[in-house]
Amino acid sequence: MFLKTVRLQLRFLVPLMVTLIAAAYLAVPLMDQVTLRWFSRDLNSRGLLVANALSDSVSEAMAAGRTARLRPLFQRAEQDERLFAIGLCSVDGKLLERTQGFPGTLTCPVADEISSKAEPRLPLPSGTVHVGVHDVMGRPLIPGNDTPPDAQAEPPPVFMGRLVLLHDMSFIERRSQDTRRYLIGLIAGLGLVIALITVVVAQLSWRGWVKGVRAIMRGEGLLSPLIPAPELAPFAAELRARLRDMEDEFRRSQGPETGWSAERLRTLLQTQLSGAQVIVVSNREPYIHERTPEGIVVKRPASGLVTAVEPVMRACSGTWVAHGSGSADGDVVDAADRVLVPPGEQDYWLRRVWLTPEEEQGYYYGFANEGMWPLCHVAHVRPVFRESDWETYRAVNQRFADAVVAEARGEDPVVLVQDYHFALLPAMVRAKLPQATILTFWHIPWPNPESFGICPWRREILQGMLGSTILGFHTRFHCKNFIETVDRYLEARIEHEHSTIAFHEKETLVESYPISIEWPGEAEVSAWAPVAECRRRVVERLGLPQDACIAVGVDRFDYTKGILERLNAVERLLEKWPSWVGRFVFVQVAAPTRSVLDEYRSFQERVQRLAQRINLRFGRPGYQPVHLLAQHHEHDAVTEMFRAADVCVVTSLHDGMNLVCKEFVAARDDLQGVLVLSRFAGAARELPEALVVNPYHVEETADALNRAATMPAAEQRERMASLRSTVREFNVFRWAGRMLADAGRWRLRSRIEARVRRHQNG
Ligand code: F6P
């Protein structure tokens, strides 16, 4: 690093020194010439002064013809250190008098000639002298006239001769040498000062530039308070563009956006993430072992999260850390609380974390489902925040984080954190595994900053989530809400253009990844009963009229799902079009969920009461308009229900995505069936061919039910074909693939930055 800076500085210093030496080389003779001219002028003036001072005595002596008496005067004058010799010339150019130093070879005409030159110098063996010739003017004496001159009339002065003054020039030589020394010293000193300033400024600028470039590479821009490097501003855009190009190239190397499959996801993991270990962490486990009188049975939970993540895990192997909630979960695990799943296939490890009833109450029922769930869903249920729940939530997050760290085989696994149960976990894992790539996916909506602001621990939750490398939501709208929330409550640097948040020197990408389902493969489809057979079974099982129009709803029994609103719409349909009475049947599959909570219990009771009221009002022998099946249905039973239905009704009041509607579409390979879908479910953005409704608007939803029930087969086919192509293409492997591809890109960028850092330090 130091050597590099010195090399950089030499690039400035060498030309600087060469320029200064050249300047000195040219300046010294010029300086000599100028000083010589100054001194010659000076000597001329001095000569004139001396000549004037001597002129009276000289003219008198000349007038009297007694020039010999001038010798002592000349000798005195000669004592001036600069006056070398004096000569006196007559009018006709004869040398009348001369002092001792006056050269014998120098005649009056020669002196005259030299003095008329621009540089009147005469070289002598003792050194160069300056030659100055000055006229002597005076009044001649009139013979016999003794009257004092001032009493007579003044005759005009006449030319009486010339004084030749030779000045020693050796002092000029000495002065010139001194000046030369000073000049060279000055230039050398100046060079030294400039060099010093250059070195210091270059050092500082270099550091500033390097920091600036790093900041740009990190995407912090030039506004970072630590990096005042405005010189880099013009390059920032260019650098960014280069990095973007690299990213685009990376994306292109991923291949087309379509055609995502388990195989392709595996390849991506191998190539872009160098086969990194994948660890999923969620509250809900994908397989629940329950003890029954018949022995241990394995159940699949009614969870959109599990539906989506499980196929990804089968493709990637790795480990899934989750709450062991089944009564026989503890019986089937090894000493490290692990079991291979799916049963019989053993594709990946399920690591179970045990919670006490108190922990489950505080963390899961309390903080997660009485606090965060209603906070994030606009379903007009007030969130409840208890200090004790929060403490338990934090402690359980730490327990799961420790389990993730314990499962990590290296220092940089890919950790997929699922949902609102683990808002604090990303920062906890980051603290132990700083190199880990942490992808957090928030399966529920994110509210606006005002709504989120009522959470007493809003800052802690945001800080915990920002431990993630990538933070995923279903829609851009939820990303925007999250970024605005961070902007409101934390001191973080947000780059809206790239959707990144830098907090405590750590950057998080906030991106939308619409979740989906695994598109059913050939083997699964071939095991399905034909649509007519499914219908026959459902009609028979529920005792429906043979010609019934069957509408179904399949949900967890949750107040966000809009089950009351859809029952109101069914009632309105029967009211508005009485011809449907006896023919229109609505089957609601409602998997019991969180029933220990008052809010859920009272909601479930309200639904039951409403269903009964409708049945009382419109039912008749052999006909019951609403069938409420409040029990868990396994995947096959749900598929059968979807295939038997004419209409599927999804009327969530607020939903991150909702996978039920996608499962319905996937089940209808006969291209029949109509989807009625709430505009408040994330899925509505992807599936516009559904009949999109506002579930709060009973009339509109009832009209949509009527339209769905009467839709011609051709229109159904057209809509369903389009829906199916969307869901097939935008499947769960694409969801995971896009996230993992972004993670790979992020890791690549970190590696480039680390390499640049190493290069700089080395
Ligand atoms: O909708 C968000 C979500 O996390 C789903 O992924 C999941 O189905 C459900 O909520 C959680 O349900 P439970 O509390 O029964 O695990």
Side-chain angles (χ1 to χ4, degrees):
M1 169 74 178
F2 176 74
L3 275 179
K4 220 168 284 163
T5 329
V6 168
R7 234 179 290 145
L8 187 79
Q9 287 157 0
L10 283 179
R11 277 191 228 151
F12 289 106
L13 294 180
V14 170
L16 178 74
M17 295 322 279
V18 169
T19 311
L20 287 175
I21 291 169
Y25 186 77
L26 291 174
V28 167
L30 201 75
M31 197 62 197
D32 274 357
Q33 232 176 347
V34 171
T35 43
L36 193 67
R37 233 176 257 157
W38 285 345
F39 282 115
S40 290
R41 237 179 282 150
D42 187 37
L43 289 176
N44 277 339
S45 325
R46 281 176 65 91
L48 204 61
L49 273 173
V50 173
N52 283 342
L54 296 177
S55 74
D56 282 353
S57 311
V58 172
S59 65
E60 264 176 45
M62 289 187 87
R66 289 202 288 248
T67 55
R69 69 179 188 204
L70 288 171
R71 279 177 208 149
L73 179 67
F74 283 0
Q75 274 159 10
R76 269 204 310 280
E78 210 187 37
Q79 275 164 12
D80 179 312
E81 61 157 336
R82 297 204 192 149
L83 198 56
F84 181 75
I86 305 175
L88 179 65
C89 297
S90 65
V91 174
D92 53 1
K94 278 202 196 106
L95 190 64
L96 300 177
E97 287 298 332
R98 64 187 180 99
T99 59
Q100 205 184 348
F102 199 89
T105 50
L106 182 63
T107 62
C108 290
V110 173
D112 221 16
E113 189 192 327
I114 294 172
S115 75
S116 62
K117 291 183 183 166
E119 286 178 12
R121 280 182 283 169
L122 175 66
L124 294 178
S126 57
T128 305
V129 292
H130 176 271
V131 180
V133 175
H134 306 274
D135 291 350
V136 178
M137 306 297 283
R139 294 185 183 84
L141 275 184
I142 301 158
N145 185 357
D146 293 336
T147 317
D150 52 351
Q152 299 171 21
E154 281 274 307
V158 296
F159 172 62
M160 301 191 72
R162 284 190 179 92
L163 265 175
V164 179
L165 302 179
L166 302 185
H167 278 95
D168 182 12
M169 288 187 83
S170 63
F171 81 96
I172 299 180
E173 197 70 22
R174 281 199 305 280
R175 291 257 172 105
S176 172
Q177 267 172 16
D178 283 351
T179 319
R180 220 174 294 155
R181 262 201 299 278
Y182 289 140
L183 188 71
I184 289 173
L186 183 77
I187 289 175
L190 213 67
L192 208 68
V193 172
I194 294 175
L196 263 174
I197 293 174
T198 310
V199 167
V200 173
V201 172
Q203 276 280 0
L204 295 179
S205 303
W206 173 251
R207 281 187 203 156
W209 293 341
V210 169
K211 277 185 186 169
V213 173
R214 274 192 204 156
I216 291 166
M217 286 178 72
R218 282 199 299 267
E220 288 169 7
L222 293 169
L223 294 177
S224 163
L226 299 171
I227 307 156
E231 304 88 333
L232 287 171
F235 306 115
E238 214 167 306
L239 262 172
R240 286 261 171 71
R242 285 303 309 141
L243 283 174
R244 291 273 146 209
D245 286 352
M246 280 170 64
E247 285 169 9
D248 286 352
E249 215 163 300
F250 185 89
R251 274 181 197 273
R252 272 198 297 278
S253 75
Q254 307 296 303
E257 277 290 277
T258 55
W260 278 99
S261 63
E263 191 47 47
R264 186 163 160 207
L265 192 67
R266 259 192 295 273
T267 311
L268 181 134
L269 204 62
Q270 289 308 322
T271 53
Q272 312 298 348
L273 290 155
S274 326
Q277 183 195 9
V278 174
I279 303 174
V280 166
V281 55
S282 75
N283 171 71
R284 189 61 63 200
E285 56 182 342
Y287 295 94
I288 306 175
H289 289 85
E290 293 285 5
R291 217 173 285 126
T292 67
E294 293 79 42
I296 292 176
V297 295
V298 183
K299 287 191 176 165
R300 301 291 308 278
S303 160
L305 179 156
V306 169
T307 308
V309 179
E310 213 271 336
V312 173
M313 262 322 255
R314 269 191 275 116
C316 303
S317 300
T319 305
W320 188 327
V321 179
H323 171 211
S325 59
S327 54
D329 274 358
D331 300 348
V332 297
V333 293
D334 64 13
D337 298 325
R338 300 157 110 234
V339 57
L340 273 167
V341 288
E345 290 171 57
Q346 312 200 325
D347 286 329
Y348 61 93
W349 285 101
L350 172 59
R351 157 78 194 268
R352 286 175 168 146
V353 175
W354 315 113
L355 297 178
T356 63
E358 294 73 30
E359 282 174 327
E360 195 177 359
Q361 176 59 46
Y363 137 82
Y364 172 74
Y365 289 113
F367 194 77
N369 286 317
E370 285 190 287
M372 295 299 281
W373 181 267
L375 178 74
C376 292
H377 288 91
V378 183
H380 311 287
V381 170
R382 293 161 75 108
V384 178
F385 293 112
R386 297 182 201 91
E387 189 79 32
S388 56
D389 290 348
W390 166 248
E391 290 306 331
T392 313
Y393 182 82
R394 198 160 46 189
V396 170
N397 267 246
Q398 190 62 63
R399 291 265 310 281
F400 276 81
D402 293 345
V404 169
V405 173
E407 290 299 326
R409 287 196 302 269
E411 58 177 14
D412 61 350
V414 174
V415 184
L416 305 176
V417 183
Q418 306 300 317
D419 233 349
Y420 60 99
H421 309 94
F422 295 118
L424 305 179
L425 183 138
M428 290 169 170
V429 172
R430 167 82 50 224
K432 300 263 178 65
L433 296 173
Q435 305 299 321
T437 303
I438 304 175
L439 314 182
T440 300
F441 193 79
W442 199 258
H443 289 256
I444 61 177
W446 188 272
N448 62 43
E450 287 75 27
S451 302
F452 187 76
I454 66 171
C455 175
W457 300 282
R458 54 186 175 265
R459 287 174 55 84
E460 287 86 341
I461 286 173
L462 295 174
Q463 286 174 12
M465 292 173 76
L466 289 176
S468 315
T469 317
I470 296 179
L471 195 47
F473 295 91
H474 291 294
T475 66
R476 271 314 307 163
F477 185 63
H478 298 152
C479 294
K480 189 175 142 285
N481 276 352
F482 179 81
I483 291 172
E484 283 171 5
T485 307
V486 170
D487 204 14
R488 181 79 59 89
Y489 301 112
L490 289 185
E491 288 291 320
R493 200 175 53 257
I494 295 170
E495 272 216 60
H496 291 279
E497 197 190 338
H498 303 306
S499 198
T500 56
I501 300 175
F503 181 68
H504 286 173
E505 298 301 311
K506 158 86 197 50
E507 214 176 17
T508 301
L509 172 70
V510 181
E511 192 53 275
S512 63
Y513 305 97
I515 206 167
S516 196
I517 56 163
E518 180 179 14
W519 189 252
E522 268 174 37
E524 187 182 346
V525 172
S526 61
W528 290 343
V531 166
E533 173 60 13
C534 292
R535 183 183 165 84
R536 193 194 60 73
R537 286 184 202 163
V538 170
V539 165
E540 195 173 300
R541 196 162 55 242
L542 298 178
L544 309 181
Q546 289 300 323
D547 64 342
C549 171
I550 305 172
V552 299
V554 178
D555 302 88
R556 280 184 311 104
F557 213 156
D558 193 297
Y559 55 77
T560 60
K561 300 298 179 184
I563 299 174
L564 283 172
E565 287 70 12
R566 92 181 54 147
L567 288 180
N568 285 332
V570 169
E571 186 176 28
R572 181 71 189 124
L573 172 91
L574 299 176
E575 236 173 43
K576 204 169 171 182
W577 290 278
S579 60
W580 281 119
V581 177
R583 287 197 303 129
F584 186 91
V585 176
F586 177 63
V587 181
Q588 175 67 54
V589 173
T593 180
R594 307 169 192 170
S595 309
V596 299
L597 298 179
D598 289 346
E599 197 67 52
Y600 279 80
R601 263 206 313 274
S602 72
F603 169 72
Q604 289 163 10
E605 283 161 16
R606 281 174 68 197
V607 170
Q608 266 148 4
R609 278 200 301 277
L610 180 57
Q612 273 167 16
R613 187 166 63 73
I614 297 171
N615 284 340
L616 274 177
R617 187 174 168 198
F618 295 102
R620 59 184 66 168
Y623 171 66
Q624 183 184 316
V626 178
H627 290 255
L628 182 60
L629 311 178
Q631 65 206 37
H632 177 75
H633 282 54
E634 286 297 326
H635 183 69
D636 290 348
V638 171
T639 304
E640 184 183 81
M641 191 66 79
F642 284 147
R643 287 172 69 75
D646 297 295
V647 182
C648 175
V649 193
V650 175
T651 51
S652 312
L653 302 181
H654 203 190
D655 220 332
M657 173 54 69
N658 189 289
L659 294 183
V660 167
C661 54
K662 296 190 176 182
E663 285 178 331
F664 170 68
V665 168
R668 297 312 298 258
D669 58 345
D670 61 335
L671 304 186
Q672 291 298 294
V674 182
L675 176 63
V676 175
L677 178 58
S678 163
R679 55 187 278 217
F680 304 122
R685 286 155 208 265
E686 284 184 277
L687 306 175
E689 298 85 355
L691 299 184
V692 177
V693 295
N694 172 0
Y696 289 96
H697 194 172
V698 177
E699 202 69 23
E700 183 186 300
T701 312
D703 289 352
L705 288 178
N706 182 53
R707 189 171 164 207
T710 56
M711 188 178 284
E715 186 180 346
Q716 289 187 38
R717 192 172 305 112
E718 209 173 298
R719 285 175 184 267
M720 186 54 81
S722 181
L723 289 168
R724 284 173 65 80
S725 94
T726 303
V727 179
R728 187 189 301 116
E729 206 170 286
F730 294 85
N731 59 35
V732 74
F733 297 114
R734 180 180 181 273
W735 169 74
R738 280 188 57 232
M739 255 194 296
L740 291 174
D742 282 347
R745 182 167 58 94
W746 207 264
R747 275 159 91 106
L748 181 70
R749 183 194 279 195
S750 314
R751 247 175 254 150
I752 292 173
E753 281 180 6
R755 224 172 285 157
V756 170
R757 264 198 302 279
R758 272 205 302 280
H759 187 64
Q760 281 169 342
N761 298 336

